[in-house]
Amino acid sequence: MASSLANNLRKIYPFYISGRPVLVDNNPLQVVNKHDGQVVTHVSVASAEDINDAIENGTAAEHKMKKLPSYTRKKILGDLAGELLKMKEDMAKVIAFEAGKTITDATGEVLRAVDVLQHSSEEAVRNEGDYVHADISPRADGMRGIVSRFPRGLSTLITPFNFPLNLAVHKVGPAIAAGNPFILKPSPRTPLSSILFGKLLEKTDLPKDCWSIINCDTDDIKPLVEDQRVKMVSFTGSTEVGWMLNKMAGNKKVHLELGGNAANIIDRTCNLDHSVDRIAWGSFYNGGQSCISAQRIYVHEAIYEEFKQKLLEKVSSFKILEPNDPAAFLSPVISDDSAERLMNNIEEVKRKGGRVLCGGTRSGNIISTYFYISF
């Protein structure tokens, strides 16, 4: 893959059904540069029939994936990590424009994904069981118990926009390590990094029938969750959608990683400057679009005024820079709707008696210089 990939994008990219690229020109999904709002490329959208094929083939491949030796799964994941590292710069540029990240943050995401693949590779050969002495009474004399772990089967993996590559890898890596076929469904706001990851999967020894990567209309997603041939659903995203999918999934295994409301306690014994730096970073990194972003701050009254002043100085120093500038930190939120929601939140806080101590104005989809609110 050429190093100039991000500057020489195709007009349209495929999705993958059973490890095979499928290119469809009809109503493709737009990939938008979140920094300037321009459409940079398109991604093909799977039909209901395509989704059924992915489920049918993935189910048929469960035995094949289960029989894949641990050392082979280890090699596949290690090869993926190596290939991803080779295209670090290109993938970072893609993440930067499709997710609206700075190039520094996007590069960090790629390197984190490499780490996850390497760790998954190591875990592929640690599928340990247990041997239990079960002679707990005279009637159980001589009895032993053997615990073995088995792949669950075809898994649907649904990922969000805020870490489009890393959170995909967080699901794909363990699925391969444990021997599960999978269907990866990325966010429609950030589909390209997952499709490019599919190009890397093509290069490995992973059996083709064992994986699919699809983009689809909202109306067509139901089988990926409700179909009884799917044995597990893993979802990362909003709390509302997560619990809705949990209900749709019926009696199958469901793994949910949902939104947070992270509290931070600043005690009087803290290193004040360090705490200010970490709170500022944790609040505004990636436009605040992280499930572990700092959302509530509790400060000991003895240091409250000093902490507040230092935090205001730090936050006020943030400037909007070009995303490719290594010093850039602020980034846009993912959409116009998200920016409007944030502005409405600020107005609501004002109406309830809160005070905006700095920033709080909008520049495109960046809430410029950001804000700190005190009641």
Side-chain angles (χ1 to χ4, degrees), residues 204-335:
T204 71
D205 296 328
L206 187 65
K208 300 298 183 186
D209 291 348
C210 294
W211 63 275
S212 296
I213 303 175
I214 62 172
N215 306 285
C216 64
D217 294 332
T218 303
D219 293 340
D220 292 330
I221 197 175
K222 286 185 178 180
L224 293 173
V225 180
E226 294 180 337
D227 196 305
Q228 290 305 304
R229 292 173 294 178
V230 175
K231 308 304 189 303
M232 179 175 177
V233 176
S234 178
F235 170 81
T236 300
S238 72
T239 302
E240 180 182 3
V241 174
W243 289 117
M244 178 188 72
L245 295 178
N246 185 59
K247 291 180 180 179
M248 291 170 56
N251 61 359
K252 61 174 60 70
K253 181 73 172 179
V254 177
H255 170 265
L256 301 176
E257 184 180 355
L258 308 180
N261 190 2
N264 298 263
I265 300 173
I266 313 299
D267 189 49
R268 66 190 303 174
T269 60
C270 74
N271 180 322
L272 202 57
D273 290 335
H274 176 74
S275 299
V276 166
D277 285 343
R278 300 316 300 161
I279 291 294
W281 185 90
S283 298
F284 306 123
Y285 164 75
N286 197 30
Q289 299 168 128
S290 171
C291 59
I292 57 172
S293 64
Q295 297 176 52
R296 289 177 292 146
I297 307 170
Y298 298 95
V299 185
H300 194 285
E301 60 183 357
I303 60 170
Y304 174 76
E305 289 298 333
E306 184 181 5
F307 177 86
K308 182 177 71 173
Q309 187 58 40
K310 284 179 175 288
L311 184 59
L312 284 172
E313 291 173 1
K314 181 69 176 182
V315 171
S316 298
S317 71
F318 293 157
K319 305 297 180 186
I320 300 174
L321 303 173
E322 288 297 317
N324 289 328
D325 188 326
F329 175 68
L330 296 183
S331 56
V333 292
I334 197 67
S335 66

Side-chain angles (χ1 to χ4, degrees), residues 12-13 20-21 34 43 65 79 82 133 137 192 205 225 288 350:
I12 186 169
Y13 285 82
R20 296 165 181 84
K34 305 307 186 298
V43 172
M65 192 69 174
D79 289 346
H133 291 273
S137 67
L192 187 55
D205 296 328
V225 180
K350 288 179 181 179

Side-chain angles (χ1 to χ4, degrees), residues 112-264:
R112 168 65 183 267
V114 170
D115 287 346
V116 172
L117 288 169
Q118 290 173 336
H119 183 59
S120 297
S121 173
E122 296 164 3
E123 289 301 312
V125 291
R126 293 183 186 144
N127 188 13
E128 300 167 351
D130 205 353
Y131 181 80
V132 181
H133 291 273
D135 51 349
I136 60 174
S137 67
R139 60 180 296 277
D141 187 43
M143 289 188 178
R144 302 290 185 270
I146 298 175
V147 179
S148 295
R149 294 180 171 85
F150 301 92
R152 189 165 292 275
L154 179 62
S155 302
T156 292
L157 315 176
I158 305 175
T159 55
F161 66 83
N162 55 342
F163 295 92
L165 176 66
N166 186 48
L167 290 179
V169 167
H170 263 265
K171 298 181 186 299
V172 170
I176 295 174
N180 295 291
F182 63 88
I183 301 172
L184 172 63
K185 195 275 179 197
S187 168
R189 291 170 171 170
T190 52
L192 187 55
S193 50
S194 289
I195 297 301
L196 295 179
F197 184 68
K199 290 287 292 181
L200 303 185
L201 282 168
E202 281 190 278
K203 297 179 180 181
T204 71
D205 296 328
L206 187 65
K208 300 298 183 186
D209 291 348
C210 294
W211 63 275
S212 296
I213 303 175
I214 62 172
N215 306 285
C216 64
D217 294 332
T218 303
D219 293 340
D220 292 330
I221 197 175
K222 286 185 178 180
L224 293 173
V225 180
E226 294 180 337
D227 196 305
Q228 290 305 304
R229 292 173 294 178
V230 175
K231 308 304 189 303
M232 179 175 177
V233 176
S234 178
F235 170 81
T236 300
S238 72
T239 302
E240 180 182 3
V241 174
W243 289 117
M244 178 188 72
L245 295 178
N246 185 59
K247 291 180 180 179
M248 291 170 56
N251 61 359
K252 61 174 60 70
K253 181 73 172 179
V254 177
H255 170 265
L256 301 176
E257 184 180 355
L258 308 180
N261 190 2
N264 298 263

